[in-house]
Each structure stands twice: as C-alpha cells, then as structure tokens.
Amino acid sequence: WEVSVLHYVLLKNMLLVAAFTLVLAHSRSPGHILPRSSVAQGPSSWMTAGSTSGPDPERWREFRQQLVSQGLKLTTDELGSSSSSSEVKARNVVAPANERLLQKQNQDLWQEYIKGGWAHPAPVEPGGLLCRLPIQAQLIDMMRHSLLGGESADAGLGDHLADQFRQEIPGDKDEQGGAMLTSWANNGAYCYRLVDRVMTERLQAIASKASGGKIDAQRLSVADRQLVELYSSGQSDWQQVVLVLRLSEDGSAEGLVLNRPLAARVDHKLAQVLLTGQTEQPAALAGDFIKAFDGEIAVYLGGPDGQADGGLLVHGFSDLEGAVEVAPGTRIFTGGAEAAIQAVLSGKRSPLDFRWFIGRHTGLSERGGAWRGVACARPLALKQCLGLPKPLWHEVMELCGGECADLSALEILKRSDLQQEDRDESSP
C-alpha cells in the first residue's frame, strides 16, 4: 500500500512539474506572447471549456505562484514523514508604507494583500501585468546577445556596447574566454552601470551635434540612431505598469496603465467623458455620478490610444450588473458603471473601490525587451496608485525577485526621495 501511495504522489508531482515546465518555457522565451486563441476571450475559450474538466483558473494562478516561490513539496512531505511540511515561508514584504496606505483606503483589499500579495515573471496574459523595463535593461540584453553570439535586430548598438564591455572588464585581455566573459556578462549590476555610463556619454555627444536645437539624424551612426529611438520611447513609457485586458490576433497586448493618476475630483464634463462608452445615457447619469464621486474619485490616464472612446471602469466586484471578468480566475472586472454609481450612493461601496481610466495602451509586446510580463495577485492591479510612498513599478518588480528586483534597486539609487523612504522603512 505504501509503495502504491508513493507511486501515486510521485506521478502527481511529475505531472505538475511537466505542466509548470511549459509555463516556465513560455515565460523564459524572449519576446513570447501567447496567441489569442490560447487565452480566454469568451464562452468558447479553452479556459471556459476546461472549467468543468480542469483546474479552477484562480487556483491554477495561485498554484503557479506557490510553485515559483516555494517549489514542489517532496513526496515525503505529502506523506507527513517530514517536519518541513509544517513550516510556513515568511511573507515577502517589499513596501510596508504602501501596505499601511492600502489599509486606510480599502480594508478588504489590504487583508487580501497581506495574506497573499505576490508577483512573478510570466507569459503575457489577460489579467496579468506588463512592466516597462528601463532602457538600461534593453541595452544589457542587446549587449549580451552580441557578446554571447545571439541574434539581435539592433546589432549596431549591441556591438558597440559589446566592444566597450570587452575593453573594460578586468583581467588579462588574452584570457577573456568563454567562462570569464560569461561571468562578467551575467553580473547585472556591473552591466547596468556600464551601459548607463555609455548611454549618458553617447547622448551628450549626440546633443553636442545639435544645430539650432535640432539634430540631423542622417549625420548619426546606426548605433546612435538606435539609442535615440530607444531613449525617446523609454521616456514616454517610463516605469509604466499595464493591466493586460486582451491579446490581439498578432499577439500584441492591449491594456490600461495603472500608475498614471489623472484626476482626483470630478465635474460635469469629466463625468460625461468617463460615462461615454460605459452607458447609453452618459448625460442623464452624470448628475448621479457627480453625487457619488464628488468627494473623491480616482481617474487614471490608461494610455495614449482610444482617449476619445470614453472611460473604462475597473474593480473587483462580480455582483455588479454589467461587470465582465477580464479573464477567468482573475476576479478583476470591467464595466458595470451604472451599478457602481448606485452602490456608492447607497453606501454599499466606497468611491475608492473603483478605478476609472481614460485611454488605452495598445500594441504592447515583450519583443525587443522593453516590457516584462508579470502574473500577480489581484490587489496589485486593483489598489489605488495615489500618493504611494514606493511607486507601484518598484513594488511589483521587487515582489518578482531576481533580476527584476535588482533592476528596481539600481533604479532606486537614482532617486533620493525613495532612498530616504527605504531607510525610514528599514529602521528598527
């Protein structure tokens, strides 16, 4: 009997490992985005179809997170022959001041956060996040491709960075063979500082070529043109955190930027803008909308696209009439504006239980290394980004751990306000 149980447990663990290996393979593939056909989009999707014969989507998301952070239990743990099965892993606390603010804003969401606030790199999927990486991360990726023999669409800039890298790494230049070069190339902090300095020097040199406040692109090298394009794009999307709503046929994502607050007060004009597209009678409902959200409201700039299409409401309530879940198991919903207004007016819900967005961000992809897909607990997507002591981008990246957390730490060093906040939080 014991042998049969061991075989059963071992077989179950092997199947779980195989399933999660597919998830990791997707998440580690550069620029990979799931095709639309493999993500829940409606009643005919595989996740909906599988809801009666496969794992519950919400439990599957939680399982993935636990597997990333804790690994699989040994068969002996499951059989109760190991004391380690009773040990509880300490919660990863990365933003205590943010947690205290959430507690004041939304007790229910705070309770959910402290019981399971998590994030980890994952394939791009509805209900997940896309985090804009700093330009330094893109440059490191290009440099590594050039150094280690990978293919890159930006060979000119990548080769320039690789040449600089070879000149500067310590040691005998004649012995910069595979192991030594790989070791330094995998030193994230060293690579970050190198590409950051090279980028600053090159941008200053490019700026010095300006005439009448303009730069003639034809006079720039291929590498310099690539750098200017990357820098411009990186500035406009700096540290954005996007909630993914759907994937298009070409694999690109559409979502809402979560961390760009736009307004904290509402008037008649803004009310009508937000209600357009959410209800058939925006003008008629504007009065009730203002009554409900006059004291406080959270409106965000969701992105540069579709700003004339009206607003979009995001929340965590399945019982609101008209609410639609972004993806099965996420418990993140859009729509239900009229029901939301009535819920606030009746006192059942608070104005800050809801997030309003104007505009979308479309055509997003991990290709090119600008964005990183992240799966997360829903409080990270639903909580307000109003006066956060630690910006949401840093919170998410630090919860992800690994190189994501390292990038966050290096970026924080550039901001004296956040450095002081971190010192305050770590003080006994």
Side-chain angles (χ1 to χ4, degrees), residues 123-151:
V124 181
E125 57 187 359
L129 305 177
L130 273 167
C131 292
R132 181 56 159 98
L133 298 181
I135 184 176
Q136 290 86 349
Q138 292 178 265
L139 295 176
I140 290 172
D141 188 58
M142 292 161 56
M143 181 181 73
R144 285 172 174 170
H145 272 85
S146 182
L147 284 168
L148 305 178
E151 295 181 1

Side-chain angles (χ1 to χ4, degrees), residues 286-303:
D288 285 344
F289 185 94
I290 293 173
K291 290 178 184 177
F293 293 94
D294 185 42
E296 53 185 352
I297 189 172
V299 183
Y300 297 84
L301 183 61

Side-chain angles (χ1 to χ4, degrees), residues 99-422:
E99 292 185 13
R100 291 195 294 271
L101 180 60
L102 179 59
Q103 184 180 14
K104 295 177 182 178
Q105 293 175 339
N106 191 317
Q107 276 281 337
D108 292 338
L109 211 57
W110 171 73
Q111 287 284 351
E112 191 174 334
Y113 184 97
I114 63 173
K115 289 178 182 177
W118 55 269
H120 63 79
V124 181
E125 57 187 359
L129 305 177
L130 273 167
C131 292
R132 181 56 159 98
L133 298 181
I135 184 176
Q136 290 86 349
Q138 292 178 265
L139 295 176
I140 290 172
D141 188 58
M142 292 161 56
M143 181 181 73
R144 285 172 174 170
H145 272 85
S146 182
L147 284 168
L148 305 178
E151 295 181 1
S152 174
D154 304 292
L157 185 52
D159 289 346
H160 174 77
L161 292 166
D163 290 342
Q164 192 71 29
F165 176 89
R166 292 188 184 93
Q167 293 174 24
E168 296 193 14
I169 59 173
D172 188 344
K173 304 304 183 199
D174 295 331
E175 297 181 4
Q176 290 178 13
M180 181 179 177
L181 187 141
T182 301
S183 176
W184 280 103
N186 288 330
N187 186 324
Y190 176 81
C191 290
Y192 180 97
R193 294 186 176 95
L194 185 145
V195 300
D196 186 59
R197 177 175 54 77
V198 172
M199 176 185 71
T200 302
E201 291 173 352
R202 291 309 308 156
L203 288 175
Q204 289 174 346
I206 293 170
S208 68
K209 298 177 182 178
S211 177
K214 296 182 180 180
I215 298 174
D216 183 0
Q218 299 302 318
R219 297 178 57 193
L220 300 179
S221 66
V222 172
D224 283 348
R225 286 200 298 271
Q226 292 170 348
L227 179 59
V228 170
E229 291 172 2
L230 286 175
Y231 183 79
S232 176
S233 174
Q235 291 297 104
S236 62
D237 297 336
W238 182 75
Q239 292 191 357
Q240 287 184 351
V241 179
V242 175
L243 170 64
V244 178
L245 298 179
R246 61 185 62 87
L247 302 181
S248 63
E249 295 292 348
D250 64 1
S252 63
E254 175 184 334
L256 301 169
V257 180
L258 297 175
N259 54 338
R260 291 294 187 269
L262 182 64
R265 292 288 183 269
V266 63
D267 56 20
H268 193 82
K269 183 178 180 180
L270 179 58
Q272 285 197 250
V273 170
L274 292 172
L275 290 171
T276 298
Q278 295 291 293
T279 176
E280 295 180 358
Q281 298 177 311
L285 281 174
D288 285 344
F289 185 94
I290 293 173
K291 290 178 184 177
F293 293 94
D294 185 42
E296 53 185 352
I297 189 172
V299 183
Y300 297 84
L301 183 61
D305 308 307
Q307 293 182 5
D309 297 337
L312 184 65
L313 175 62
V314 174
H315 55 86
F317 307 115
S318 60
D319 59 347
L320 284 186
E321 183 179 355
V324 178
E325 194 171 18
V326 170
T330 60
R331 294 185 297 131
I332 299 172
F333 301 86
T334 62
E338 294 185 38
I341 294 171
Q342 295 307 316
V344 174
L345 286 174
S346 67
K348 184 179 179 180
R349 301 295 180 195
S350 163
L352 290 184
D353 286 338
F354 302 96
R355 305 187 69 178
W356 297 87
F357 294 86
I358 296 176
R360 320 283 189 272
H361 215 330
T362 61
L364 301 179
S365 169
E366 286 187 311
R367 290 186 286 270
W371 297 88
R372 173 67 54 84
V374 172
C376 70
R378 73 169 192 155
L380 283 169
L382 292 177
K383 71 175 187 171
Q384 302 292 349
C385 293
L386 303 173
L388 289 178
K390 175 173 284 187
L392 181 65
W393 185 87
H394 287 284
E395 185 175 356
V396 173
M397 295 288 280
E398 289 175 23
L399 283 171
C400 285
E403 276 205 342
C404 292
D406 293 341
L407 278 173
S408 174
L410 290 163
E411 289 286 296
I412 278 180
L413 291 175
K414 298 179 177 180
R415 298 183 58 173
S416 59
D417 56 331
L418 297 185
Q419 290 181 60
Q420 184 61 51
E421 176 64 27
D422 286 345

